[in-house]
Every structure is written in structure tokens, then in C-alpha cells.
Amino acid sequence: MAKRKRRPRQRAASVQPGIVGPPRPVPRGIVRPAYARDARGEPGPSRMAPVRSTGEIEAMRRAGAAAAEVLMIAGRHVTPGTTTDAIDAVVHAEVLDRGAYPSPLGYRTFPKSVCTSVNEVICHGIPDSRPLAAGDIVNIDVTVYLDGVHGDTSAMFCVGEVDAESERLVRGTLRALEAAIGVVAPGVPVSAIGEAIEGVARPLRLGVVREFVGHGVGPDFHGSLQIPHYYDPRNSVPLAEGMTFTIEPMLTLGGPQVDLWSDGWTAVTADRSRSAQFEHTLAVTSDGAEVLTTTSGGRCAHELSAASVPGRGSG
């Protein structure tokens, strides 16, 4: 078998902000979270307990399945020339079609229904008029509010053929999430999650962003439970059956330090190196973890992402 030729390292110019269109309307019949009914979109302090009831977890399965379905559909629209605003339009329509509310819309005045983070954008990228270009990588972060709870998931997608370093980054970030999910069980300290992520990232020479963490999720978009993606033994809170939270490691090819655009949302790497993120919402079970952000058939967009990256599994 012929050896695959290693493609030369290529770097596009830094991502520049495009034109952000107006928020898309939501029909009156769609139930909104409380912050979406506030002019400033302020959620207030979280009063949600870390552990969910059986009924809440069942609702979160439905919300998670809806989010997973929408993310898979959005990922199929990632092609050169497609704008991130066009992806927002797809996500918005698909979420409404499921009788759900797009959780980012109006959250602390965030103007769009999904986050799209391209190349060096770590997270919270606002969809705009910038078209995706061949060689880009993009994270699409979908959260839906359905039946009184949120389902939160994200995945990376490669725009056409990408360079080898971007492949390494995307592969490694997905592996880091999988490793982190693998350690979740009752009694395990929160610090074990970050330790698992660093155990993948460090050998691959990938930076781990510290400023953004996983979080409790359920009736609140962001609960008080925090899930750092780096190891700190002081994060000794033990996981308990029924806890629900996200794990969403953000890894970088260069330094993990963060800059913020003037829009107050778009977080980028300070050295403008590329960043990647994958995310699932989980529930702690009696013997491990249940991934809540999969379709009713057990699928998720991470499959699409893995299929789009040559050589996955080779490290």
C-alpha cells in the first residue's frame, strides 16, 4: 500500500470578523428559558442542584437527542464558501422544527442561535458573513432548550482538505474528550477529568485552555458545578450518580493563552494558533457515565468529524 504523502503545513490569515446579521425570530409558541425573556438576557445566579431527578434526566435525553440531530445536520453544511451565518440559519430552523429554543440566542445578549468558532477562535464565535475557506477548521456548538432543560454539544469539522497539524489537533481533541468520559464514575474527583485530558494533550504537544471549563447543565444553561479541563488536585469534589454536566476540552496547537475580540464574546488564542473543541453532555450513572447528547439511535456528529479527518487513531 502506498504511503500517504504528508501535506505541507499551511496557515490561513487570522480570522477577521464579518457582518453579523440580526437575531432570527422565534415563534410565540416556543417555550423560552427565563433569560430569553429578559432584555439583557441575564440568567442570574444558578440555584440548580448538581444532581438531577429521574424525570429531569429523561427530559435531558430528549433535549440531548435534539441537539445531536441538529449538530449532525449543521455539520453536513460545512463546505468551502458557506458562511457561518448560513450555518446559524440551518441550526435555527432545525431547532425550531423540533419545538425547541436555541439556547445561545439572547443569552447575555448573544445575537445568534449557535456558536461557530473558526481556526484560532477557541469558543463563542458569533456567526457572520465570513465564508468558510478550504483548509479551515470550525467548531459548531449547539445547545437546545426543550422540556425545561438544556442539551449542549459541539464538534469540529474540517473544511475540505486541511494541513497535517490541524488533523493532529482535531484528532487529539476528540481523543481527549473520549478519555475524559472514560474516567467518569461515582466517587471519582472532578480533577480526574482534567488529568485524563492532559494525559492525551501533553504527549501530543497540545495546549489546554484553562479560562473556559465544562459546567453543570439541566434546567439552567450553566450550573454552578465546574469541570476544569486541566489537572488540579484541589478540584476534589466527588462525582455523584445523577450529576449532569458538560465536558468540552479546548486544545491548541500553540500556547493556550486567550485574547478576546471587541465584541465581548469571541475568544481567540493569543498567538493565533489553531484551537479545537469537542463537547458532550453527560449524566453520572451507577457505574460510569451516560452520554446524553446522542440521537435516539446512539449517533452523534463526532462520527462525522472523525470520518473527515484522515488517519484518525494513528496518534
Side-chain angles (χ1 to χ4, degrees):
M1 182 181 291
K3 183 179 180 180
R4 184 170 66 88
K5 183 178 179 180
R6 185 178 179 87
R7 292 188 290 279
R9 177 171 174 165
Q10 299 174 350
R11 282 290 176 268
S14 294
V15 174
Q16 300 298 313
I19 298 169
V20 177
R24 293 185 157 85
V26 176
R28 289 180 179 271
I30 298 292
V31 177
R32 293 156 166 77
Y35 61 79
R37 301 191 296 271
D38 179 85
R40 297 173 300 168
E42 284 297 329
S46 175
R47 296 181 174 84
M48 181 182 76
V51 173
R52 307 269 66 74
S53 69
T54 301
E56 286 175 326
I57 290 177
E58 182 55 41
M60 290 185 70
R61 291 189 184 102
R62 295 190 293 273
E69 292 167 2
V70 172
L71 183 56
M72 292 182 75
I73 292 168
R76 297 187 184 107
H77 287 77
V78 173
T79 56
T82 299
T83 66
T84 52
D85 187 62
I87 292 173
D88 181 79
V90 169
V91 169
H92 187 84
E94 293 293 338
V95 171
L96 298 185
D97 281 351
R98 288 160 176 77
Y101 182 88
S103 302
L105 184 61
Y107 181 81
R108 291 181 170 152
T109 69
F110 190 85
K112 289 294 182 176
S113 299
V114 69
C115 295
T116 51
S117 301
V118 181
N119 296 345
E120 74 267 20
V121 179
I122 297 168
C123 60
H124 303 159
I126 300 174
D128 61 20
S129 62
R130 180 192 182 275
L132 297 171
D136 284 347
I137 59 174
V138 57
N139 175 271
I140 301 177
D141 190 343
V142 172
T143 311
V144 307
Y145 181 73
L146 180 67
D147 294 341
V149 295
H150 298 269
D152 191 358
T153 185
S154 81
M156 295 300 299
F157 300 95
C158 297
V159 186
E161 188 171 304
V162 303
D163 64 277
E165 287 290 271
S166 295
E167 291 178 6
R168 179 169 68 87
L169 172 65
V170 173
R171 284 201 309 270
T173 307
L174 181 53
R175 282 178 52 192
L177 173 61
E178 293 168 344
I181 293 171
V183 303
V184 172
V188 171
V190 166
S191 62
I193 293 172
E195 186 175 24
I197 290 167
E198 287 191 339
V200 172
R202 285 183 173 179
L204 293 174
R205 306 181 310 281
L206 299 175
V208 180
V209 173
R210 290 181 168 227
E211 280 81 355
F212 302 99
V213 299
H215 53 87
V217 64
D220 290 350
F221 193 173
H222 297 100
S224 57
L225 179 65
Q226 294 195 341
I227 308 294
H229 303 124
Y230 55 89
Y231 177 64
D232 184 338
R234 293 173 296 181
N235 296 322
S236 58
V237 173
L239 299 177
E241 185 174 357
M243 280 184 172
T244 55
F245 52 84
T246 69
I247 303 178
E248 44 189 301
M250 301 165 212
L251 306 187
T252 63
L253 283 174
Q257 293 75 26
V258 176
D259 279 346
L260 193 66
W261 280 6
S262 61
D263 61 24
W265 280 105
T266 307
V268 297
T269 53
D271 61 7
R272 302 305 187 261
S273 63
R274 288 191 168 188
S275 177
Q277 175 193 17
F278 284 91
E279 176 183 18
H280 269 312
T281 296
L282 310 174
V284 181
T285 64
S286 60
D287 59 355
E290 177 185 354
V291 176
L292 298 176
T293 39
T294 61
T295 68
S296 58
R299 300 188 63 201
C300 71
H302 299 181
E303 302 167 12
L304 299 177
S305 182
S308 74
V309 182
R312 181 174 181 254
S314 63

